[in-house]
Amino acid sequence: MIKKFCVICVALLTSALFSACAANSNPATPDEAAAVAETTEQKVVKFETPYADLAVSEKFDEAVKAVVRQENPYIVDYITKADNTKLFAIHFNDKTNNYLGSIKSGDETVLLYAEFFEIKKDSENYQKYTGYQMEVNTIVNNLEKDYSLDTDEKPSDTSSDVYDIKTNVVTLKYPKKWENKVTVKQENDCVKFSADNTPLFDLYFKECNGVQLGTYDGTPIYIVEHKVEKAEHKNMIQDVNVIINHLSEDAKFTIN
C-alpha cells in the first residue's frame, strides 16, 4: 500500500511537469531546471532516535508532534498538536502489524514497524487525520534514501513459544514466559490481564472506550491499557503484540 501511494504521487508530479513544459515554448536552461528541482523537493523535519532520524514533511510537522512512548523497545508516537489525537507510531525492534523494513545501526540490524491508530469515522477531522497517516510514506522514503532501508524480506516470526487462552470468541496466544506470572480473568465480554494484583490490559469483545484492534468473525476486539510503573509489567503489556500478530494470521480476523 505504501509503495503504491508513492508511485501515484510520482505519476501526478510527472504529469504536472509535462503539462508545464508543453505550455512553455522556451525550454528551461540547466540552471533554471536545477532551481525548479530544488524548490519542488520536499522539505523535511527530522526527529532524532538512537537508531535513525525520522523525517517528515515540513507542513506535517507544523500540525503533528513526535513523542517517545517508551525507550525499550523504542517507540515514537505521532500525535496531533491541536487535540492530541494519536495517528501512528514507529516501532524499533518491536513487532507489530505493519513491517516497514530493516536498517543497519552500527553492527545491529534494526527492524522497523508502523502501528496505525483508529480514527473515528464520525470525527469532523476524519479525512484530514487519515491523510496525516499517509505521512508514513515520507518516513519510509527518507529511510530508504538516508539509511538504505531494506524492504525486501519480512523477518520470520520468532514469537512461537506461546500458550493458549481460550475465550468464547477466539483462542488467544500469549508468550509462555508470562504463563505463571500473569493472571487472566475471563468475563462474558472481556478478558482481563493482571500481575501482582496490578491491572495490565483488558481485551473487550464489544465496543468500549478503548482502541479497536480489529474484528474477529464479526465480533469487534478492543484493548484498554492500564498505567503501570514496573518495567516487567510494561513488557507484559507490550507483549499484547504477540496476541495481535497471531490474530493477524487468522483469516477470520480483519484490521479495521
Side-chain angles (χ1 to χ4, degrees), residues 159-225:
S159 58
S160 58
D161 192 13
V162 296
Y163 73 103
D164 291 347
I165 300 172
K166 294 184 179 180
T167 74
N168 57 357
V169 174
V170 61
T171 298
L172 306 172
K173 296 184 181 296
Y174 192 59
K176 198 169 183 63
K177 63 184 178 181
W178 304 130
E179 186 173 10
N180 297 322
K181 292 187 175 183
V182 172
T183 300
V184 180
K185 181 181 180 182
Q186 298 192 43
E187 300 179 0
N188 288 336
D189 297 314
C190 179
V191 181
K192 297 186 176 182
F193 292 71
S194 62
D196 306 318
N197 294 319
T198 300
L200 301 172
F201 61 92
D202 309 326
L203 295 179
Y204 285 86
F205 303 118
K206 62 180 181 180
E207 188 172 347
C208 70
N209 188 25
V211 176
Q212 186 173 7
L213 300 179
T215 302
Y216 187 85
D217 200 19
T219 300
I221 302 179
Y222 282 77
I223 183 170
V224 175
E225 294 185 9

Side-chain angles (χ1 to χ4, degrees), residues 26-245:
N26 296 319
T29 66
D31 289 342
E32 289 172 336
V36 170
E38 183 178 354
T39 56
T40 55
E41 184 178 351
Q42 189 179 44
K43 293 184 178 180
V44 297
V45 176
K46 296 184 177 182
F47 181 80
E48 293 184 9
T49 79
Y51 306 100
D53 293 345
L54 302 178
V56 298
S57 61
E58 200 171 43
K59 287 186 177 180
F60 179 82
D61 185 66
E62 293 172 1
V64 175
K65 58 188 174 182
V67 178
V68 178
R69 185 197 308 178
Q70 63 182 56
E71 295 186 356
N72 186 25
Y74 202 88
I75 304 174
V76 180
D77 290 330
Y78 283 87
I79 305 170
T80 61
K81 293 180 179 179
D83 57 11
N84 290 319
T85 295
K86 285 189 175 183
L87 301 169
F88 62 86
I90 303 298
H91 294 236
F92 294 84
N93 282 337
D94 176 51
K95 186 175 181 182
T96 188
N97 290 330
N98 302 280
Y99 177 65
L100 299 180
S102 65
I103 61 173
K104 286 288 187 180
S105 179
D107 296 330
E108 181 184 4
T109 298
V110 180
L111 307 181
L112 284 84
Y113 293 82
E115 172 188 7
F116 293 92
F117 299 104
E118 180 189 17
I119 308 297
K120 297 292 184 181
K121 290 186 177 179
D122 58 357
S123 167
E124 63 179 352
N125 293 311
Y126 177 77
Q127 294 293 338
K128 181 194 296 185
Y129 288 176
T130 52
Y132 284 169
Q133 290 179 320
M134 299 302 290
E135 189 69 12
V136 168
N137 291 328
T138 304
I139 292 175
V140 169
N141 289 341
N142 282 279
L143 285 171
E144 288 179 330
K145 182 179 67 175
D146 298 336
Y147 298 92
S148 301
L149 179 73
D150 183 0
T151 61
D152 291 338
E153 186 175 354
K154 186 174 182 178
S156 59
D157 185 7
T158 58
S159 58
S160 58
D161 192 13
V162 296
Y163 73 103
D164 291 347
I165 300 172
K166 294 184 179 180
T167 74
N168 57 357
V169 174
V170 61
T171 298
L172 306 172
K173 296 184 181 296
Y174 192 59
K176 198 169 183 63
K177 63 184 178 181
W178 304 130
E179 186 173 10
N180 297 322
K181 292 187 175 183
V182 172
T183 300
V184 180
K185 181 181 180 182
Q186 298 192 43
E187 300 179 0
N188 288 336
D189 297 314
C190 179
V191 181
K192 297 186 176 182
F193 292 71
S194 62
D196 306 318
N197 294 319
T198 300
L200 301 172
F201 61 92
D202 309 326
L203 295 179
Y204 285 86
F205 303 118
K206 62 180 181 180
E207 188 172 347
C208 70
N209 188 25
V211 176
Q212 186 173 7
L213 300 179
T215 302
Y216 187 85
D217 200 19
T219 300
I221 302 179
Y222 282 77
I223 183 170
V224 175
E225 294 185 9
H226 299 285
K227 187 176 181 179
V228 298
E229 299 297 332
K230 291 178 64 175
E232 185 176 49
H233 292 166
K234 291 179 180 179
N235 290 334
M236 292 170 176
I237 294 175
Q238 188 60 43
D239 276 344
V240 73
N241 286 324
V242 175
I243 293 176
I244 297 171
N245 291 336

